[in-house]
Amino acid sequence: MNRKLIFFILLVWVPYLTVFAQNATEYTWWNPAQNQFPVIEGQAWPKEVQHPYDRLPAQAEKSVRSAVWNLSHNAAGLLIRFRASTDQIVVRYTVNGPHALPHMPATGVSGVDLYAVTSDGDWRWCTGKYSFKDTLEYRFTNLEPNDQYHQKGREYRLYLPLYNSVNWLEIGVPKGASFTPLPTRIEKPIVVYGTSIAQGACASRPGMAWTAILGRKLDRPIINLGFSGNGRLEKEIVQLLPGIDAKLYVLDCLPNLVATVGIPSDEIKNRIIESVKTLRQKRPGTPVLLVEHAGYTDGSLNATRRKLYSDANDIMRSAFTQLKTEGINQIYLLPKTAINLDMDDMVDGTHPTDLGMQHYADGYEKSIRTILNEPTGLYSTTKPCTQFRDAAIYDWETRHRDMVALTKAKPPRLIFLGNSITHYWGGQPQAPISRGSDSWNAVLEPLGAQNFGYGWDRIENVLWRVYHDELDGYAAAQVIIMIGTNNLQLNSDTDIIEGLKFLVGAIKVRQPTADILLLGILPRRDGEPRVMEINKGIAQASGQLNVTFADPGTVFLNADGKINESFFGDGLHPNAEGYQKLLSKLTPYLKPIEQSQKQKR
């Protein structure tokens, strides 16, 4: 190349390189392992691990087989939650093992996977450009920093590698972008003890492991104790499980207990029975789900393979029958037919593809929702979800944490479920806005009421809260429901009424002795005729549900059917005088404290 050409290239490109260098993004980096509070979710023993991203406590090294111990360093099932308002997120980290396996891609073995949760509680997947070198890197770019409601960003969940051990990891955002680590969730986890399939083989990326899919479907923490080839219901692992305060234990080990493993059938049956008895002895109230072998997708043509899983399932059914005969309750069986794998659901006839993982998760979800009494319906109002719409005023998740803590410290007598109209009335947990505290303190506080109102909540958000412990562990005298006005913009009257019926059913399961008072939606500016009509439907539904109905909002109407604006600040939220007016109409329906209860208080 002649000198003139070299000079020309430099002349043309140097200015561009200079501009690029000047515009290079500067990042702020965060290391989850060094955070001041726990943020690595999916660990059952976060304070007892040897390395930050391990799955078993350090003490287990002395008791479990070396194969199990080595696999426990894999980060399967671990995730990190954070909130950010940024158009780009970078993740860099190192791992110990090979990046890929012969039957599983590097993106599943060693990759990370990023999901976002919108302010309406909807899931979004984020595509990332990745580089697998000594330091692995994922770059997620062109992200919309915020939803339509505010400039506070959104929640992200980063799933960690399924089949590799993470040495260190950092998450970076452009300098100046908002970034908030989120603590591990307070809900009891679902604990899964299983095989390579539970660990995640052969998902294309961590978020497609069936345990991860199930975690998103149920919106619950999952503890993944899947050990590739080594999930064998061994007592050394089973004895660790009761140390986890779980919502549900799942035992899915049959794929590692087929005849080719060399464990006698009597021993397999004994392991199943003893595992359940160990859990039942130490955690008598926690349900246990036993899972049949889901089969091999070549089983219809290969009689030898078909016999392997058929025999294993015969053993499982025999053990389950014996346990039930002995009077052991709170145990359930997920049959092969419930998972219902098709011929295209596996990579090698044994390990699921992403399609197979989805079928696993679907089968599990249906069973677990029945066990936990957390059904979903056909309407959007019957599908529980979180929200982050009112972030400029308060933090929805923090209020949920405070609510659960307060119910444990001081169980409420009256539960007042609602949206911002209730939230900003008064009472505890204290809200950032209080417009009617005088009336609340005068009447509702002495009755033992707790304010379960959340600004911007819809019916489906209240359903999520009911499913996630806010009504558990105590017996209230009365539950008051005033929800639905935020659904008017999105849902039909039928959607709203069916959602309220669904919500009442969920409340009855958790507060079977409480009286339920279902209130009509309060009238709002320019919406009075529709509210009046829908309240007729809510009244009719209350009769079907055998609960009390009241329509206290009529106190706000003028003779022409329009709201009296003097009782509102914005045509929707009552002012102090409005709350007083509302309470005067509501008081006759509130359950009074009996004399004997007054003496106790």
Side-chain angles (χ1 to χ4, degrees):
M1 184 179 295
N2 61 51
R3 292 182 179 180
K4 289 184 178 180
L5 182 58
I6 294 173
F7 178 78
F8 175 76
I9 292 173
L10 291 173
L11 186 65
V12 172
W13 280 101
V14 165
Y16 288 97
L17 294 173
T18 302
V19 171
F20 179 80
Q22 291 174 345
N23 293 338
T25 303
E26 185 178 353
Y27 292 94
T28 299
W29 295 95
W30 171 67
N31 187 328
Q34 297 174 358
N35 201 67
Q36 293 182 347
F37 51 83
V39 293
I40 303 171
E41 190 167 283
Q43 290 178 316
W45 303 272
K47 296 181 180 179
E48 303 173 43
V49 293
Q50 191 176 91
H51 304 291
Y53 298 99
D54 281 359
R55 291 184 291 146
L56 287 181
Q59 64 177 5
E61 184 178 11
K62 300 177 182 178
S63 58
V64 303
R65 289 185 297 112
S66 59
V68 175
W69 177 248
N70 292 336
L71 286 163
S72 75
H73 299 310
N74 294 167
L78 304 188
L79 65 86
I80 297 162
R81 300 188 313 130
F82 56 91
R83 189 173 293 135
S85 175
T86 178
D87 64 347
Q88 53 186 297
I89 296 169
V90 181
V91 183
R92 62 187 185 188
Y93 58 104
T94 62
V95 295
N96 276 337
H99 292 165
L101 296 173
H103 63 329
M104 187 173 175
T107 50
V109 173
S110 305
V112 295
D113 209 358
L114 188 66
Y115 283 75
V117 185
T118 72
S119 292
D120 286 325
D122 297 323
W123 288 95
R124 299 288 185 266
W125 178 71
C126 307
T127 183
K129 300 294 183 182
Y130 47 84
S131 173
F132 284 20
K133 298 179 180 178
D134 290 341
T135 297
L136 291 76
E137 183 180 271
Y138 272 71
R139 287 185 173 271
F140 304 91
T141 58
N142 297 318
L143 303 171
E144 293 182 353
N146 303 291
D147 293 329
Q148 60 179 315
Y149 300 97
H150 51 75
Q151 301 298 305
K152 299 288 186 177
R154 61 173 60 83
E155 178 185 337
Y156 290 91
R157 298 187 188 180
L158 182 73
Y159 294 87
L160 302 190
L162 296 170
Y163 264 78
N164 224 323
S165 305
V166 175
N167 294 320
W168 65 268
L169 180 146
E170 290 182 332
I171 300 173
V173 297
K175 191 172 183 179
S178 69
F179 182 92
T180 305
L182 294 177
T184 54
R185 287 173 286 176
I186 60 174
E187 287 80 18
K188 293 181 180 181
I190 293 172
V191 177
V192 179
Y193 176 27
T195 67
S196 57
I197 298 170
Q199 183 169 341
C202 286
S204 64
R205 46 189 175 83
M208 287 308 298
W210 71 257
T211 50
I213 299 171
L214 181 66
R216 292 193 298 276
K217 283 174 170 287
L218 298 175
D219 203 9
R220 285 194 173 277
I222 305 285
I223 303 293
N224 186 328
L225 297 179
F227 302 108
S228 187
N230 291 276
R232 300 178 183 177
L233 291 179
E234 293 167 310
K235 65 179 182 180
E236 293 81 5
I237 295 294
V238 173
Q239 288 173 349
L240 291 172
L241 300 184
I244 311 169
D245 188 10
K247 189 75 172 179
L248 169 73
Y249 296 107
V250 175
L251 302 181
D252 189 355
C253 291
L254 281 196
N256 287 164
L257 291 171
V258 293
T260 52
V261 177
I263 301 174
S265 58
D266 287 347
E267 171 62 16
I268 296 172
K269 181 178 179 180
N270 183 64
R271 289 190 186 190
I272 296 170
I273 291 172
E274 290 305 312
S275 296
V276 172
K277 289 184 175 179
T278 297
L279 293 171
R280 184 54 66 244
Q281 180 182 10
K282 298 181 179 180
R283 293 286 183 179
T286 306
V288 179
L289 177 60
L290 299 171
V291 185
E292 288 189 1
H293 194 311
Y296 306 125
T297 48
D298 61 338
S300 59
L301 291 177
N302 189 322
T304 301
R305 296 256 288 168
R306 183 167 64 249
K307 181 173 171 51
L308 289 176
Y309 64 74
S310 297
D311 288 351
N313 287 341
D314 286 343
I315 296 170
M316 175 62 82
R317 287 189 286 270
S318 176
F320 184 79
T321 299
Q322 181 174 327
L323 288 164
K324 294 297 289 184
T325 301
E326 292 179 11
I328 297 179
N329 296 317
Q330 285 274 69
I331 60 171
Y332 303 87
L333 182 66
L334 183 66
K336 173 181 178 293
T337 52
I339 300 173
N340 195 29
L341 296 179
D342 196 7
M343 65 178 181
D344 295 327
D345 282 347
M346 289 186 171
V347 171
D348 51 8
T350 301
H351 299 95
T353 60
D354 289 352
L355 180 61
M357 289 291 186
Q358 186 69 57
H359 288 156
Y360 261 94
D362 290 344
Y364 266 102
E365 181 192 16
K366 185 176 181 180
S367 176
I368 292 175
R369 285 199 178 279
T370 299
I371 295 169
L372 300 182
N373 283 307
E374 295 181 4
T376 60
L378 298 176
Y379 302 92
S380 64
T381 52
T382 61
K383 300 179 188 299
C385 66
T386 60
Q387 61 102 343
F388 191 57
R389 289 183 284 269
D390 209 13
I393 305 297
Y394 79 106
D395 187 279
W396 196 89
E397 181 175 320
T398 298
R399 184 166 176 82
H400 170 62
R401 288 173 175 269
D402 292 345
M403 192 71 67
V404 173
L406 187 57
T407 59
K408 291 178 180 178
K410 186 180 179 181
R413 184 176 170 276
L414 266 60
I415 298 168
F416 206 132
L417 290 164
N419 46 49
S420 57
I421 296 172
T422 302
H423 187 180
Y424 303 139
W425 191 340
Q428 297 294 323
Q430 188 171 354
I433 298 172
S434 180
R435 298 190 177 100
S437 57
D438 288 347
S439 58
W440 182 284
N441 293 339
V443 177
L444 293 169
E445 183 68 27
L447 290 175
Q450 185 169 323
N451 189 329
F452 285 73
Y454 287 51
W456 257 114
D457 254 14
R458 298 171 184 153
I459 296 168
E460 57 267 30
N461 306 131
V462 178
L463 183 63
W464 187 97
R465 298 196 278 116
V466 169
Y467 283 175
H468 288 75
D469 305 340
E470 290 192 8
L471 271 62
D472 294 347
Y474 60 94
Q478 187 177 33
V479 179
I480 306 154
I481 308 166
M482 188 170 68
I483 193 70
T485 194
N486 291 323
N487 291 92
L488 292 171
Q489 310 167 59
L490 301 172
N491 300 107
S492 69
D493 292 3
T494 299
D495 294 341
I496 293 171
I497 293 169
E498 291 300 319
L500 288 171
K501 290 163 66 174
F502 209 85
L503 177 61
V504 168
I507 293 169
K508 283 184 172 182
V509 169
R510 289 154 180 83
Q511 291 288 336
T513 62
D515 292 343
I516 296 179
L517 174 60
L518 182 59
L519 303 181
I521 297 172
L522 296 190
R524 52 191 294 171
R525 182 189 297 153
D526 299 328
E528 297 93 339
R530 184 184 176 192
V531 169
M532 184 180 297
E533 193 63 30
I534 197 172
N535 284 346
K536 294 177 182 177
I538 296 173
Q540 184 177 354
S542 69
Q544 299 167 355
L545 296 166
N546 194 28
V547 300
T548 303
F549 171 79
D551 190 9
T554 56
V555 74
F556 294 131
L557 296 176
N558 292 321
D560 61 0
K562 297 292 185 180
I563 62 168
N564 185 331
E565 295 280 356
S566 67
F567 296 128
F568 295 86
D570 55 7
L572 174 63
H573 298 89
N575 54 27
E577 187 179 359
Y579 279 117
Q580 186 68 56
K581 197 80 172 174
L582 177 63
L583 189 57
S584 67
K585 190 78 170 180
L586 184 61
T587 300
Y589 296 93
L590 300 178
K591 190 168 185 178
I593 299 178
E594 297 177 2
Q595 190 61 38
S596 59
Q597 292 176 314
K598 287 182 180 179
Q599 293 172 353
K600 290 180 181 179
R601 290 176 67 88

